[in-house]
Amino acid sequence: MQTIDNFNFAGKKAFVRVDFNVPLDENFNITDDTRIRAALPTLKKILNDGGSVIIGSHLGRPKGPTDKFSLKHILPRVSELLGVDVQFADDCVGEQAAEKSAALKPGEALLLENLRFYAEEEGKPRGLAEDATEEEKAAAKKAVKESQKEFTKKLASYADVYVNDAFGTAHRAHASTALIADYFDADHKMFGYLMEKEVKAVEKVMTDIQRPFTAIMGGSKVSSKIDIIENLLDKVDNLIITGGMTYTFTKALGGKIGNSICEDDKLDLALELMQKAKDKGVNLVLAVDAKIADAFSNDANTKFVPVNEIPDGWEGLDIGPETEKIYADVIKNSKTILWNGPTGVFEFDNFTHGSRSVGDAVVEATKNGAFSLVGGGDSVACVNKFGIADKVSYVSTGGGALLEAIEGKVLPGIKAIRGY
Ligand code: AMP
């Protein structure tokens, strides 16, 4: 497989798929430029080699061209961070884009307008009437899949090399994240540095496992984490199931959970998972006490109770001190750690203690030589909030992509480049 380090971009044009899907405020100021910074090593390597870059990205979920999701809003920051006056093409497959990319000289960069202004990027039909028949839906799908080929070919035609540095969309088989790779031979397509790092980190926790291996799965719903939990049961020694999921398990075991979040239709599933863990010799760790509140609010009255004795009118919003201790002991004895999801409603300052204590334990284990991967949705916000992002082994930028990789799925964006 070709690698970015081994490739000399001198005189070459590279189409680089990045994830510049950054948050913007109502005046289009970037509120967090992490994703742009994350792609800089790749872009700079190409420019420093004497190559030129055509940068493609999506922003938001537009249903067509709209000023709100225009990448022109981020152009000044991209130029500033890259240290190059980046050009802009206001239609990613328009004549201007073709002309500007053809005219690029070594060291120059061009940012294409939002790829998702075209339905062809995602390959999903748009604007279908709500009452469309199945035939109409199928015909629309077929049509967009057909025009997607032309769209993809056009994007590919701008460049000599394809570089994918957008791990955040690696689980999508979109035009610019996967299909485009078919237009380049094996020597002319590769991962960018960020993608390389992400793939390596996931592989480390999924294949090169130092034991004990502990996964900490938080979050609100069992239903959204079930595939990951099942896959992890074949891999981990300890599985801490925490956050809102706690109460579905507690109720399934016959506990009183008051008004705590619970998926009543998943009680059997929770029992099944516990049985599976037992059969596989996995130590499934659940909370024993909870910090409960008399309202879903930071300012609610609170107290600590056993997790299965929550009175009506109260709900568990974080773990209690006993549970913190139990989790910390397990985590500190681990050599591989995967952390996805908070132990409670960490957005409320009065319910961050449990998540913070997990963070501290992960940091300590990492200091003692464990490999710790943190990622998926809120976990990143969590480690940033606690200021420990640089004290764990790796913080993934991928939300859905990371979770699908952990579920054991092959990610189209990865497969398109390395073949599996
Ligand atoms: P997820 O998006 O599934 O990873 O879940 C993360 C969300 O779960 C966060 O927004 C937390 O506030 C929420 N959460 C964690 N614990 C609880 C809880 N005990 N009750 C309600 N929501 C929770």
Side-chain angles (χ1 to χ4, degrees):
M1 196 181 86
Q2 185 57 274
T3 65
I4 182 162
D5 258 337
N6 285 339
F7 196 86
N8 184 353
F9 289 87
K12 302 274 189 233
K13 292 191 171 80
F15 181 97
V16 188
R17 176 53 156 104
V18 295
D19 178 2
F20 283 176
N21 186 23
V22 291
L24 301 172
D25 67 15
E26 62 282 8
N27 298 315
F28 302 114
N29 297 307
I30 299 170
T31 54
D32 181 351
D33 62 9
T34 309
R35 287 182 167 163
I36 302 178
R37 290 178 188 276
L40 292 178
T42 293
L43 299 173
K44 284 188 172 166
K45 146 80 177 165
I46 299 169
L47 298 178
N48 290 341
D49 270 4
S52 51
V53 287
I54 297 123
I55 307 169
S57 179
H58 71 285
L59 176 66
R61 293 170 182 244
K63 293 278 162 272
T66 153
D67 185 64
K68 182 172 176 209
F69 292 119
S70 173
L71 282 168
K72 73 174 187 238
H73 301 305
I74 71 162
L75 185 65
R77 183 71 67 90
V78 177
S79 292
E80 183 193 325
L81 291 173
L82 200 53
V84 170
D85 206 1
V86 178
Q87 301 171 44
F88 188 66
D90 60 11
D91 175 347
C92 67
V93 286
E95 257 174 47
Q96 198 197 37
E99 281 165 19
K100 285 192 173 177
S101 46
L104 282 177
K105 297 197 187 62
E108 290 185 345
L110 170 70
L111 176 66
L112 300 177
E113 181 56 287
N114 197 338
L115 298 164
R116 287 195 191 163
F117 280 2
Y118 283 87
E120 284 78 5
E121 165 63 1
E122 295 175 272
K124 278 196 240 140
R126 285 184 185 157
L128 263 174
E130 286 211 352
D131 57 356
T133 62
E134 286 309 313
E135 285 82 41
E136 283 167 339
K137 282 185 197 159
K141 197 167 171 195
K142 195 165 166 231
V144 77
K145 287 282 175 207
E146 270 310 307
S147 52
Q148 189 180 41
K149 286 183 195 148
E150 281 310 304
F151 177 84
T152 313
K153 201 167 159 188
K154 192 85 177 263
L155 293 178
S157 72
Y158 302 155
D160 310 298
V161 193
Y162 170 64
V163 181
N164 188 350
D165 214 16
F167 182 69
T169 48
H171 57 319
R172 307 282 183 221
H174 292 170
S176 70
T177 62
L179 308 184
I180 190 172
D182 284 346
Y183 294 88
F184 299 86
D185 66 31
D187 286 336
H188 292 83
K189 55 184 162 195
M190 64 202 79
F191 296 145
Y193 287 119
L194 174 65
M195 188 85 159
E196 256 181 11
K197 271 199 298 187
E198 296 273 5
V199 171
K200 236 195 207 154
V202 172
E203 271 180 358
K204 191 149 170 57
V205 292
M206 300 313 283
T207 54
D208 174 20
I209 303 165
Q210 305 300 307
R211 296 195 178 275
F213 177 11
T214 298
I216 307 143
M217 300 304 295
S220 47
K221 289 186 176 162
V222 185
S223 49
S224 64
K225 300 277 162 89
I226 178 71
D227 290 341
I228 303 165
I229 292 174
E230 293 219 305
N231 190 39
L232 286 172
L233 281 176
D234 288 324
K235 300 206 159 64
V236 298
D237 303 291
N238 306 298
L239 178 60
I240 297 176
I241 294 189
T242 189
M245 288 190 282
T246 304
Y247 308 98
T248 302
F249 282 81
T250 306
K251 185 164 179 184
L253 288 169
K256 273 191 73 208
I257 59 163
N259 297 7
S260 306
I261 186 172
C262 178
E263 288 171 283
D264 281 320
D265 58 337
K266 295 290 177 294
L267 299 178
D268 288 343
L269 182 65
L271 291 176
E272 255 172 55
L273 285 173
M274 280 187 263
Q275 186 58 46
K276 272 191 193 162
K278 208 169 175 189
D279 295 345
K280 290 175 193 282
V282 173
N283 174 29
L284 193 136
V285 185
L286 291 166
V288 295
D289 59 350
K291 183 171 187 181
I292 61 170
D294 60 359
F296 188 79
S297 154
N298 189 44
D299 307 319
N301 295 308
T302 63
K303 55 185 174 182
F304 293 107
V305 295
V307 73
N308 53 1
E309 291 176 24
I310 302 176
D312 289 340
W314 293 73
E315 58 190 301
L317 295 188
D318 199 7
I319 55 172
E322 281 301 309
T323 307
E324 283 186 9
K325 238 173 100 338
I326 294 169
Y327 287 2
D329 284 345
V330 172
I331 294 167
K332 286 180 197 166
N333 280 316
S334 306
K335 285 277 168 273
T336 305
I337 300 165
L338 172 69
W339 182 17
N340 167 258
T343 65
V345 185
F346 79 105
E347 296 93 335
F348 295 159
D349 285 344
N350 289 334
F351 301 94
T352 56
H353 203 276
S355 301
R356 192 181 291 271
S357 74
V358 164
D360 289 344
V362 173
V363 168
E364 194 173 325
T366 311
K367 255 192 227 149
N368 293 331
F371 180 83
S372 52
L373 168 62
V374 181
D378 287 314
S379 324
V380 178
C382 230
V383 291
N384 286 337
K385 181 162 180 162
F386 304 150
I388 56 169
D390 57 349
K391 298 190 177 78
V392 298
S393 309
Y394 193 72
V395 180
S396 174
T397 59
L402 177 74
L403 298 186
E404 287 198 17
I406 295 167
E407 279 169 31
K409 290 188 184 153
V410 173
L411 305 191
I414 294 176
K415 186 170 183 222
I417 292 204
R418 69 173 186 191
Y420 62 94

